[in-house]
Amino acid sequence: MSGPAPLAIRSAVERGWLAFSHCPWVLMGFTLVSGASNLLAQVWFRRESGRVISELGQPDALAISLAAGAWILYVATGLWMVVGLMRGSLLALDQGRPRFGDLIRLDGRAMGRCFGTLALALVVLALIVRLAQASSWLLTLLQPLLAPLPLLAGVAAAIYLSADQILCLPLSLIGGLNPVAAFQGSRAATDPHWLHALGLTLVLLAMVLAGFLVLVVGLVVALPVATCTLTAAYQQLFGAGQGTGWRGSSG
């Protein structure tokens, strides 16, 4: 499935930036529109969740319904942004110039795979955290001095998993794999060269954190560049020809 060579992080960053530079306004415009939609849904959810219990201490059915709708919209807009950015980055890496319509087009199947893949990774991370906390609690009863060890092991396992699954989203969206297959495929591809995968993870994290430093303007640039870089890294291991039906779509 993966080639013998490890990830070339510098090459992925250079190709990712070059792809972004082919169509910066389209990628930034979509990031702004989808990100603003996601933010508005989040604000709406927070507003309605604070009204779930009325002033009389009774559940407010209308507020509960509105909060549920806001949460669904928040998740949907987030998935829409991820799928659109990855589709745009793939088209840009193919030396194309994706149109705004290519990015905003809804793809229910891709969004479903994206949701399942992210949910699986989060569930595994949650299990690691809970297991570490439970083990630490048991050791506190038996030998308090050893209580921090399970927590440290949990942190190490979480870091390992984060780097190990760095390619699960491209495998799911571009490769068309179901969540379990994407999880297994990312592990098989990154395990032989895990330190390179960790390096790529840190680079992508640094991009996004740098975007946060300059708020909206930075994120509008950082998110598409990070997605293009991740897609370029995926192509290094799985080839530019590995894709699904929407791979070369332009409308």
Side-chain angles (χ1 to χ4, degrees):
M1 180 179 294
S2 60
L7 278 169
I9 299 175
R10 180 176 178 178
S11 175
V13 173
E14 290 175 347
R15 288 195 66 222
W17 175 257
L18 183 61
F20 171 77
S21 65
H22 286 158
C23 50
W25 299 114
V26 173
L27 293 173
M28 289 191 297
F30 174 74
T31 303
L32 183 61
V33 170
S34 58
S37 301
N38 186 257
L39 181 60
L40 288 175
Q42 183 180 9
V43 171
W44 181 24
F45 172 74
R46 290 182 176 180
R47 179 183 178 184
E48 296 301 332
S49 61
R51 300 179 178 180
V52 169
I53 303 299
S54 67
E55 297 179 356
L56 300 177
Q58 299 295 324
D60 189 326
L62 178 59
I64 293 174
S65 300
L66 291 175
W71 184 85
I72 293 173
L73 184 61
Y74 171 69
V75 173
T77 53
L79 297 173
W80 175 50
M81 179 169 62
V82 172
V83 172
L85 280 177
M86 192 152 290
R87 182 190 294 119
S89 68
L90 190 63
L91 292 170
L93 281 163
D94 288 341
Q95 305 299 319
R97 295 183 181 273
R99 298 173 299 185
F100 191 72
D102 296 328
L103 277 65
I104 65 173
R105 180 169 54 85
L106 293 175
D107 187 335
R109 290 184 178 180
M111 291 171 65
R113 294 196 306 272
C114 182
F115 177 80
T117 301
L118 290 174
L120 177 60
L122 290 175
V123 167
V124 174
L125 280 174
L127 289 175
I128 290 174
V129 171
R130 291 299 184 186
L131 181 59
Q133 290 175 338
S135 300
S136 179
W137 179 77
L138 288 175
L139 279 179
T140 300
L141 299 178
L142 301 175
Q143 182 54 263
L145 293 177
L146 299 179
L149 293 181
L151 297 178
L152 293 175
V155 171
I159 293 174
Y160 167 80
L161 180 67
S162 298
D164 198 53
Q165 293 303 311
I166 190 64
L167 295 177
C168 65
L169 276 180
L171 279 167
S172 176
L173 296 177
I174 302 174
L177 301 181
N178 63 59
V180 174
F183 190 95
Q184 295 172 338
S186 182
R187 180 180 180 183
T190 56
D191 265 358
H193 309 286
W194 183 82
L195 287 178
H196 293 82
L198 177 62
L200 177 63
T201 303
L202 293 177
V203 167
L204 296 177
L205 182 61
M207 288 181 183
V208 177
L209 289 178
F212 271 111
L213 294 179
V214 283
L215 301 178
V216 175
V217 176
L219 283 177
V220 166
V221 175
L223 289 177
V225 172
T227 306
C228 288
T229 301
L230 178 61
T231 305
Y234 166 85
Q235 288 185 337
Q236 285 183 17
L237 296 184
F238 294 92
Q242 300 294 324
T244 61
W246 61 256
R247 180 182 179 279
S249 174
S250 59

